Coordinates of all heavy atoms in Angstrom, one line a residue:
M1 N -10.6 -10.8 -10.7 CA -9.7 -9.8 -10.3 C -10.1 -8.5 -11.1 O -10.4 -8.6 -12.3 CB -8.3 -10.2 -10.7 CG -7.2 -9.2 -10.2 SD -5.7 -10.0 -10.0 CE -4.7 -9.3 -11.2
V2 N -9.9 -7.4 -10.5 CA -10.3 -6.1 -11.1 C -9.1 -5.6 -11.9 O -8.0 -5.6 -11.4 CB -10.7 -5.1 -10.0 CG1 -11.1 -3.8 -10.6 CG2 -11.9 -5.7 -9.2
D3 N -9.4 -5.1 -13.1 CA -8.3 -4.5 -13.9 C -8.3 -3.0 -13.7 O -9.3 -2.3 -14.0 CB -8.6 -4.8 -15.4 CG -7.5 -4.3 -16.3 OD1 -6.4 -4.1 -15.8 OD2 -7.8 -4.1 -17.5
L4 N -7.2 -2.5 -13.1 CA -7.1 -1.1 -12.8 C -6.4 -0.3 -13.9 O -6.2 0.9 -13.8 CB -6.3 -0.9 -11.5 CG -6.9 -1.5 -10.2 CD1 -6.0 -1.2 -9.1 CD2 -8.3 -0.8 -10.0
S5 N -6.0 -0.9 -15.0 CA -5.2 -0.3 -16.0 C -6.0 0.9 -16.7 O -5.4 1.9 -17.0 CB -4.8 -1.3 -17.1 OG -6.0 -1.8 -17.7
D6 N -7.3 0.8 -16.8 CA -8.1 2.0 -17.3 C -8.0 3.2 -16.4 O -8.1 4.3 -16.9 CB -9.5 1.6 -17.6 CG -9.7 0.6 -18.7 OD1 -8.8 0.5 -19.6 OD2 -10.7 -0.1 -18.7
F7 N -7.9 2.9 -15.1 CA -7.8 4.1 -14.2 C -6.4 4.7 -14.1 O -6.2 5.9 -14.0 CB -8.2 3.6 -12.8 CG -9.7 3.3 -12.7 CD1 -10.0 1.9 -12.7 CD2 -10.6 4.2 -12.7 CE1 -11.4 1.6 -12.6 CE2 -12.0 3.9 -12.6 CZ -12.3 2.6 -12.6
L8 N -5.4 3.8 -14.2 CA -4.0 4.3 -14.1 C -3.5 4.9 -15.4 O -2.8 5.8 -15.4 CB -3.1 3.1 -13.7 CG -3.4 2.5 -12.3 CD1 -2.5 1.4 -12.0 CD2 -3.2 3.6 -11.2
D9 N -3.9 4.3 -16.6 CA -3.6 4.8 -17.9 C -4.8 5.0 -18.7 O -5.2 4.1 -19.5 CB -2.6 3.8 -18.6 CG -1.3 3.7 -17.9 OD1 -0.8 4.7 -17.4 OD2 -0.8 2.6 -17.9
P10 N -5.5 6.2 -18.6 CA -6.7 6.3 -19.4 C -6.5 6.4 -20.9 O -5.4 6.8 -21.3 CB -7.2 7.7 -18.9 CG -6.1 8.4 -18.2 CD -5.1 7.3 -17.8
G11 N -7.4 5.9 -21.6 CA -7.3 5.9 -23.1 C -7.5 7.3 -23.6 O -7.6 8.3 -22.9
E12 N -7.4 7.4 -25.0 CA -7.4 8.7 -25.6 C -8.8 9.3 -25.5 O -8.9 10.5 -25.4 CB -7.1 8.5 -27.1 CG -5.7 8.1 -27.4 CD -5.4 7.9 -28.8 OE1 -6.3 8.2 -29.7 OE2 -4.3 7.4 -29.2
D13 N -9.9 8.5 -25.4 CA -11.2 9.0 -25.3 C -11.6 9.4 -23.9 O -12.6 10.0 -23.7 CB -12.2 8.0 -25.9 CG -12.2 6.7 -25.2 OD1 -11.2 6.4 -24.5 OD2 -13.2 6.0 -25.2
E14 N -10.8 9.1 -22.9 CA -11.1 9.4 -21.5 C -10.2 10.6 -21.0 O -9.1 10.6 -21.4 CB -10.8 8.2 -20.7 CG -11.7 7.0 -21.0 CD -11.3 5.8 -20.2 OE1 -10.7 5.9 -19.1 OE2 -11.6 4.6 -20.6
P15 N -10.8 11.5 -20.3 CA -10.0 12.6 -19.7 C -9.1 12.0 -18.7 O -9.4 11.2 -17.9 CB -11.1 13.5 -19.1 CG -12.2 12.6 -18.8 CD -12.2 11.6 -19.9
A16 N -7.9 12.6 -18.7 CA -6.9 12.2 -17.7 C -7.2 12.9 -16.4 O -7.3 14.1 -16.3 CB -5.5 12.5 -18.2
E17 N -7.3 12.1 -15.3 CA -7.5 12.7 -14.0 C -6.3 12.3 -13.1 O -6.3 11.2 -12.6 CB -8.8 12.1 -13.4 CG -10.1 12.6 -14.2 CD -11.3 12.0 -13.6 OE1 -11.3 11.7 -12.4 OE2 -12.3 12.0 -14.3
P18 N -5.3 13.1 -13.0 CA -4.1 12.7 -12.3 C -4.4 12.4 -10.8 O -3.7 11.6 -10.2 CB -3.2 13.9 -12.5 CG -4.1 15.1 -12.9 CD -5.3 14.5 -13.5
D19 N -5.3 13.1 -10.2 CA -5.6 12.8 -8.8 C -6.1 11.4 -8.6 O -5.7 10.8 -7.6 CB -6.6 13.9 -8.2 CG -6.0 15.3 -8.1 OD1 -4.8 15.4 -8.1 OD2 -6.8 16.2 -8.1
E20 N -7.0 11.0 -9.5 CA -7.6 9.7 -9.3 C -6.5 8.6 -9.6 O -6.5 7.6 -8.8 CB -8.7 9.5 -10.4 CG -9.5 8.2 -10.2 CD -10.7 8.1 -11.1 OE1 -11.4 9.1 -11.2 OE2 -10.8 7.1 -11.8
A21 N -5.7 8.8 -10.5 CA -4.6 7.8 -10.8 C -3.6 7.8 -9.6 O -3.2 6.7 -9.2 CB -3.9 8.2 -12.1
A22 N -3.3 8.9 -9.0 CA -2.4 9.0 -7.9 C -3.0 8.3 -6.7 O -2.3 7.5 -6.0 CB -2.0 10.4 -7.5
D23 N -4.3 8.5 -6.5 CA -5.0 7.8 -5.4 C -5.0 6.3 -5.6 O -4.8 5.6 -4.6 CB -6.5 8.3 -5.3 CG -6.6 9.7 -4.7 OD1 -5.6 10.2 -4.2 OD2 -7.7 10.3 -4.8
L24 N -5.3 5.8 -6.8 CA -5.3 4.4 -7.0 C -3.9 3.8 -6.9 O -3.7 2.7 -6.3 CB -5.8 4.1 -8.4 CG -7.3 4.2 -8.5 CD1 -7.8 4.1 -9.9 CD2 -8.1 3.2 -7.6
A25 N -2.9 4.5 -7.3 CA -1.5 4.0 -7.1 C -1.1 4.0 -5.6 O -0.5 3.0 -5.2 CB -0.5 4.9 -7.9
A26 N -1.5 5.0 -4.9 CA -1.3 5.0 -3.4 C -2.0 3.9 -2.7 O -1.5 3.2 -1.8 CB -1.6 6.3 -2.9
L27 N -3.3 3.6 -3.2 CA -4.1 2.6 -2.6 C -3.4 1.2 -2.9 O -3.3 0.4 -2.0 CB -5.5 2.6 -3.1 CG -6.4 1.5 -2.6 CD1 -6.6 1.7 -1.1 CD2 -7.8 1.7 -3.3
K28 N -2.9 1.0 -4.1 CA -2.2 -0.2 -4.4 C -1.0 -0.4 -3.6 O -0.7 -1.5 -3.1 CB -1.9 -0.2 -5.9 CG -1.2 -1.5 -6.4 CD -0.8 -1.4 -7.9 CE -0.1 -2.6 -8.3 NZ 0.4 -2.5 -9.7
A29 N -0.2 0.7 -3.4 CA 1.0 0.6 -2.5 C 0.6 0.3 -1.1 O 1.3 -0.5 -0.4 CB 1.7 1.9 -2.6
C30 N -0.5 0.9 -0.6 CA -0.9 0.6 0.8 C -1.3 -0.9 0.9 O -0.8 -1.5 1.9 CB -2.2 1.4 1.1 SG -1.9 3.1 1.5
L31 N -2.0 -1.4 0.0 CA -2.4 -2.8 0.1 C -1.3 -3.8 0.0 O -1.2 -4.8 0.7 CB -3.5 -3.1 -0.9 CG -4.8 -2.4 -0.8 CD1 -5.8 -2.7 -1.9 CD2 -5.5 -2.8 0.5
Q32 N -0.3 -3.5 -0.9 CA 0.8 -4.3 -1.0 C 1.7 -4.3 0.2 O 2.2 -5.3 0.7 CB 1.7 -3.9 -2.2 CG 2.9 -4.8 -2.5 CD 2.5 -6.2 -2.8 OE1 1.7 -6.5 -3.7 NE2 3.1 -7.2 -2.1
A33 N 1.9 -3.1 0.8 CA 2.7 -3.0 2.0 C 2.0 -3.7 3.2 O 2.7 -4.4 4.0 CB 3.0 -1.5 2.3
L34 N 0.7 -3.6 3.3 CA 0.0 -4.2 4.4 C 0.1 -5.8 4.2 O 0.3 -6.5 5.2 CB -1.5 -3.8 4.4 CG -2.3 -4.1 5.6 CD1 -1.6 -3.6 6.9 CD2 -3.7 -3.6 5.5
A35 N -0.1 -6.3 3.0 CA 0.1 -7.7 2.8 C 1.5 -8.2 3.1 O 1.7 -9.2 3.7 CB -0.2 -8.0 1.3
D36 N 2.5 -7.4 2.7 CA 3.9 -7.7 3.1 C 4.1 -7.8 4.6 O 4.8 -8.7 5.1 CB 4.9 -6.8 2.5 CG 4.9 -6.9 1.0 OD1 4.5 -7.9 0.4 OD2 5.5 -5.9 0.3
A37 N 3.5 -6.8 5.3 CA 3.6 -6.8 6.8 C 3.0 -8.0 7.4 O 3.5 -8.6 8.3 CB 3.0 -5.5 7.3
V38 N 1.8 -8.4 6.9 CA 1.1 -9.5 7.5 C 1.9 -10.8 7.2 O 2.1 -11.6 8.1 CB -0.3 -9.6 6.9 CG1 -1.0 -11.0 7.3 CG2 -1.2 -8.5 7.5
A39 N 2.4 -11.0 6.0 CA 3.2 -12.2 5.7 C 4.4 -12.2 6.5 O 4.8 -13.3 7.0 CB 3.5 -12.2 4.2
S40 N 5.1 -11.1 6.6 CA 6.4 -11.1 7.4 C 6.1 -11.4 8.9 O 6.9 -12.1 9.5 CB 7.1 -9.7 7.3 OG 7.5 -9.5 6.0
T41 N 5.0 -10.9 9.4 CA 4.7 -11.2 10.8 C 4.4 -12.7 11.0 O 4.8 -13.3 12.0 CB 3.5 -10.3 11.2 OG1 3.8 -9.0 11.1 CG2 3.1 -10.6 12.7
N42 N 3.6 -13.2 10.1 CA 3.3 -14.7 10.2 C 4.6 -15.5 10.1 O 4.7 -16.5 10.8 CB 2.4 -15.1 9.0 CG 1.0 -14.6 9.3 OD1 0.6 -14.2 10.4 ND2 0.2 -14.5 8.2
L43 N 5.5 -15.2 9.2 CA 6.8 -15.9 9.1 C 7.6 -15.7 10.3 O 8.3 -16.7 10.7 CB 7.5 -15.4 7.8 CG 7.0 -15.9 6.5 CD1 7.7 -15.2 5.3 CD2 7.0 -17.4 6.4
A44 N 7.6 -14.6 10.9 CA 8.3 -14.3 12.2 C 7.8 -15.2 13.3 O 8.6 -15.8 14.1 CB 8.2 -12.9 12.6
V45 N 6.5 -15.4 13.4 CA 5.9 -16.3 14.4 C 6.3 -17.7 14.1 O 6.7 -18.4 15.0 CB 4.3 -16.1 14.4 CG1 3.7 -17.2 15.2 CG2 4.0 -14.8 14.9
L46 N 6.2 -18.1 12.9 CA 6.6 -19.5 12.5 C 8.1 -19.8 12.8 O 8.5 -20.8 13.4 CB 6.4 -19.8 11.0 CG 4.9 -20.0 10.6 CD1 4.8 -20.1 9.1 CD2 4.3 -21.2 11.3
N47 N 9.0 -18.8 12.5 CA 10.4 -19.0 12.8 C 10.6 -19.0 14.3 O 11.5 -19.7 14.8 CB 11.2 -17.9 12.1 CG 11.3 -18.0 10.6 OD1 11.2 -19.1 10.1 ND2 11.5 -16.9 9.9
G48 N 9.9 -18.2 15.0 CA 10.0 -18.1 16.5 C 9.6 -19.4 17.1 O 10.3 -19.9 18.0
T49 N 8.6 -20.1 16.6 CA 8.1 -21.3 17.2 C 9.1 -22.5 16.8 O 9.2 -23.5 17.6 CB 6.7 -21.7 16.7 OG1 6.7 -21.8 15.3 CG2 5.7 -20.7 17.2
Q50 N 9.8 -22.3 15.7 CA 10.8 -23.3 15.4 C 12.2 -23.1 16.1 O 13.1 -23.9 15.9 CB 11.0 -23.3 13.8 CG 9.8 -23.7 13.1 CD 10.0 -23.5 11.6 OE1 10.9 -22.9 11.1 NE2 9.0 -24.1 10.8
G51 N 12.3 -22.0 16.8 CA 13.5 -21.7 17.5 C 14.6 -21.0 16.8 O 15.7 -20.8 17.2
D52 N 14.2 -20.5 15.6 CA 15.2 -19.8 14.8 C 15.0 -18.3 15.1 O 14.3 -17.5 14.4 CB 15.0 -20.1 13.3 CG 16.1 -19.6 12.4 OD1 17.0 -18.9 12.9 OD2 16.0 -19.8 11.2
V53 N 15.7 -17.8 16.1 CA 15.6 -16.4 16.6 C 16.1 -15.4 15.5 O 15.5 -14.4 15.4 CB 16.3 -16.3 17.9 CG1 16.3 -14.8 18.4 CG2 15.7 -17.2 19.0
A54 N 17.2 -15.8 14.9 CA 17.8 -14.8 13.9 C 16.8 -14.6 12.7 O 16.6 -13.5 12.3 CB 19.1 -15.4 13.4
A55 N 16.2 -15.7 12.2 CA 15.2 -15.5 11.1 C 14.0 -14.8 11.6 O 13.4 -14.0 10.9 CB 14.9 -16.9 10.6
A56 N 13.6 -15.1 12.8 CA 12.4 -14.4 13.4 C 12.7 -12.9 13.5 O 11.8 -12.0 13.1 CB 12.0 -14.9 14.7
G57 N 13.9 -12.5 13.9 CA 14.2 -11.1 14.0 C 14.3 -10.4 12.7 O 13.8 -9.3 12.5
S58 N 14.8 -11.1 11.7 CA 14.8 -10.6 10.4 C 13.4 -10.4 9.8 O 13.2 -9.3 9.2 CB 15.6 -11.6 9.5 OG 15.5 -11.2 8.1
R59 N 12.5 -11.3 10.1 CA 11.1 -11.1 9.6 C 10.4 -10.0 10.3 O 9.6 -9.3 9.7 CB 10.3 -12.4 9.8 CG 10.9 -13.6 9.0 CD 11.3 -13.4 7.6 NE 10.2 -12.8 6.8 CZ 10.4 -12.3 5.5 NH1 11.6 -12.4 5.0 NH2 9.4 -11.8 4.9
V60 N 10.7 -9.8 11.6 CA 10.1 -8.7 12.3 C 10.6 -7.4 11.7 O 9.8 -6.4 11.5 CB 10.4 -8.8 13.8 CG1 10.1 -7.5 14.5 CG2 9.7 -9.9 14.5
Q61 N 11.9 -7.3 11.4 CA 12.4 -6.1 10.8 C 11.7 -5.8 9.4 O 11.4 -4.7 9.0 CB 13.9 -6.2 10.6 CG 14.7 -6.0 11.9 CD 16.2 -6.2 11.7 OE1 16.6 -6.7 10.6 NE2 16.9 -5.9 12.7
A62 N 11.5 -6.9 8.7 CA 10.8 -6.8 7.4 C 9.4 -6.3 7.6 O 8.9 -5.5 6.8 CB 10.8 -8.1 6.6
S63 N 8.7 -6.8 8.6 CA 7.4 -6.4 8.9 C 7.3 -4.9 9.3 O 6.4 -4.1 8.8 CB 6.8 -7.2 10.0 OG 5.5 -6.8 10.3
V64 N 8.2 -4.4 10.1 CA 8.3 -3.0 10.5 C 8.6 -2.2 9.2 O 7.9 -1.1 9.1 CB 9.4 -2.8 11.6 CG1 9.6 -1.3 11.8 CG2 9.0 -3.5 12.9
S65 N 9.4 -2.6 8.4 CA 9.7 -1.9 7.1 C 8.5 -1.8 6.3 O 8.2 -0.7 5.7 CB 10.8 -2.5 6.4 OG 11.1 -1.9 5.2
A66 N 7.7 -2.8 6.2 CA 6.5 -2.8 5.4 C 5.4 -1.9 6.0 O 4.7 -1.2 5.3 CB 5.9 -4.3 5.2
L67 N 5.4 -1.9 7.3 CA 4.4 -1.0 8.0 C 4.8 0.5 7.7 O 3.9 1.3 7.6 CB 4.3 -1.3 9.4 CG 3.6 -2.6 9.8 CD1 3.7 -2.9 11.3 CD2 2.1 -2.5 9.3
K68 N 6.1 0.8 7.7 CA 6.5 2.1 7.4 C 6.1 2.5 5.9 O 5.7 3.6 5.7 CB 8.0 2.3 7.5 CG 8.5 2.3 9.0 CD 10.0 2.4 9.1 CE 10.4 2.4 10.5 NZ 11.9 2.5 10.7
R69 N 6.3 1.5 5.0 CA 5.9 1.8 3.6 C 4.4 2.0 3.6 O 3.9 2.9 2.8 CB 6.2 0.6 2.7 CG 7.7 0.6 2.4 CD 8.0 -0.5 1.3 NE 7.7 -1.8 1.8 CZ 6.9 -2.7 1.2 NH1 6.4 -2.4 0.0 NH2 6.7 -3.9 1.7
F70 N 3.6 1.3 4.3 CA 2.1 1.4 4.4 C 1.8 2.8 4.9 O 1.0 3.5 4.3 CB 1.5 0.4 5.3 CG 0.1 0.6 5.6 CD1 -0.9 0.3 4.7 CD2 -0.3 1.2 6.8 CE1 -2.2 0.5 4.9 CE2 -1.7 1.5 7.1 CZ -2.6 1.1 6.1
H71 N 2.5 3.3 6.0 CA 2.2 4.6 6.5 C 2.5 5.7 5.5 O 1.7 6.6 5.4 CB 3.0 4.8 7.8 CG 2.9 6.1 8.4 ND1 1.7 6.5 9.0 CD2 3.7 7.2 8.5 CE1 1.8 7.8 9.4 NE2 3.0 8.2 9.1
E72 N 3.6 5.6 4.8 CA 4.0 6.6 3.8 C 2.9 6.6 2.7 O 2.5 7.7 2.2 CB 5.4 6.3 3.2 CG 6.5 6.5 4.2 CD 7.8 5.9 3.7 OE1 7.9 5.3 2.6 OE2 8.8 6.0 4.5
A73 N 2.5 5.5 2.2 CA 1.5 5.4 1.1 C 0.2 5.9 1.6 O -0.6 6.6 0.9 CB 1.4 4.0 0.6
F74 N -0.2 5.6 2.9 CA -1.5 6.0 3.4 C -1.5 7.5 3.6 O -2.5 8.2 3.5 CB -1.8 5.3 4.7 CG -3.1 5.5 5.2 CD1 -4.2 4.9 4.6 CD2 -3.4 6.4 6.3 CE1 -5.5 5.1 5.1 CE2 -4.7 6.6 6.8 CZ -5.7 5.9 6.2
T75 N -0.3 8.1 3.9 CA -0.2 9.6 4.1 C -0.6 10.3 2.8 O -1.3 11.3 2.9 CB 1.2 10.0 4.5 OG1 1.5 9.3 5.7 CG2 1.3 11.4 4.7
V76 N -0.3 9.7 1.7 CA -0.7 10.3 0.4 C -2.2 10.3 0.3 O -2.8 11.3 0.0 CB -0.1 9.5 -0.8 CG1 -0.7 10.0 -2.1 CG2 1.4 9.6 -0.8
L77 N -2.9 9.2 0.7 CA -4.3 9.2 0.6 C -5.0 10.1 1.6 O -5.9 10.8 1.4 CB -4.8 7.8 0.9 CG -4.5 6.7 -0.2 CD1 -4.9 5.4 0.2 CD2 -5.1 7.1 -1.5
K78 N -4.4 10.1 2.8 CA -4.9 11.0 3.9 C -4.7 12.4 3.6 O -5.6 13.3 3.8 CB -4.2 10.6 5.2 CG -4.9 11.2 6.4 CD -4.3 10.7 7.7 CE -5.0 11.3 8.9 NZ -4.4 10.8 10.1
G79 N -3.6 12.8 2.9 CA -3.3 14.1 2.5 C -4.4 14.6 1.5 O -4.8 15.8 1.5
D80 N -4.8 13.7 0.6 CA -5.8 14.1 -0.4 C -7.1 14.4 0.3 O -7.8 15.3 -0.1 CB -5.9 13.0 -1.4 CG -4.7 12.9 -2.4 OD1 -4.0 13.9 -2.4 OD2 -4.6 11.9 -3.0
E81 N -7.5 13.6 1.2 CA -8.7 13.8 2.0 C -8.7 15.1 2.7 O -9.7 15.8 2.8 CB -9.0 12.6 2.9 CG -9.3 11.3 2.2 CD -9.5 10.2 3.2 OE1 -9.4 10.4 4.4 OE2 -9.7 9.1 2.7
A82 N -7.6 15.4 3.3 CA -7.5 16.7 4.1 C -7.5 17.8 3.1 O -8.2 18.9 3.4 CB -6.1 16.7 4.9
G83 N -6.9 17.7 2.0 CA -7.0 18.8 1.0 C -8.4 19.0 0.5 O -8.8 20.1 0.3
N84 N -9.2 17.9 0.3 CA -10.5 18.0 -0.2 C -11.4 18.7 0.9 O -12.3 19.4 0.6 CB -11.1 16.7 -0.6 CG -10.5 16.1 -1.8 OD1 -9.9 16.9 -2.6 ND2 -10.5 14.8 -2.0
G85 N -11.1 18.4 2.1 CA -11.9 19.0 3.2 C -11.6 20.5 3.4 O -12.5 21.2 3.8
E86 N -10.4 21.0 3.1 CA -10.1 22.4 3.2 C -10.8 23.2 2.1 O -11.1 24.3 2.3 CB -8.6 22.6 3.1 CG -7.9 22.0 4.3 CD -6.4 22.2 4.2 OE1 -5.9 22.6 3.2 OE2 -5.7 21.7 5.1
E87 N -11.0 22.6 0.9 CA -11.6 23.3 -0.2 C -13.1 23.5 0.0 O -13.7 24.5 -0.4 CB -11.4 22.5 -1.5 CG -10.0 22.5 -1.9 CD -9.8 21.6 -3.2 OE1 -10.8 21.1 -3.7 OE2 -8.7 21.4 -3.6
A88 N -13.7 22.7 0.8 CA -15.2 22.7 1.0 C -15.6 23.9 1.9 O -15.0 24.6 2.5 CB -15.7 21.4 1.6

């Protein structure tokens, strides 16, 4: 597993780069939200095959919520890329 602590909290001898830390935090949020969406979707399918419609509906709502979180976190990353493109 990769340790991101040096990137998120640089030591005294390393210059602080707030853009890099924000990008890594947004990337971590994107990956977590995407993993949540996939897990919720899989659970919704399992609940649906078992005939538990209420639980399946709840899992679908959780999946949609996770995808919204993914979109919000990805917007931070996409915004940084757009900002870098305008400066060039």
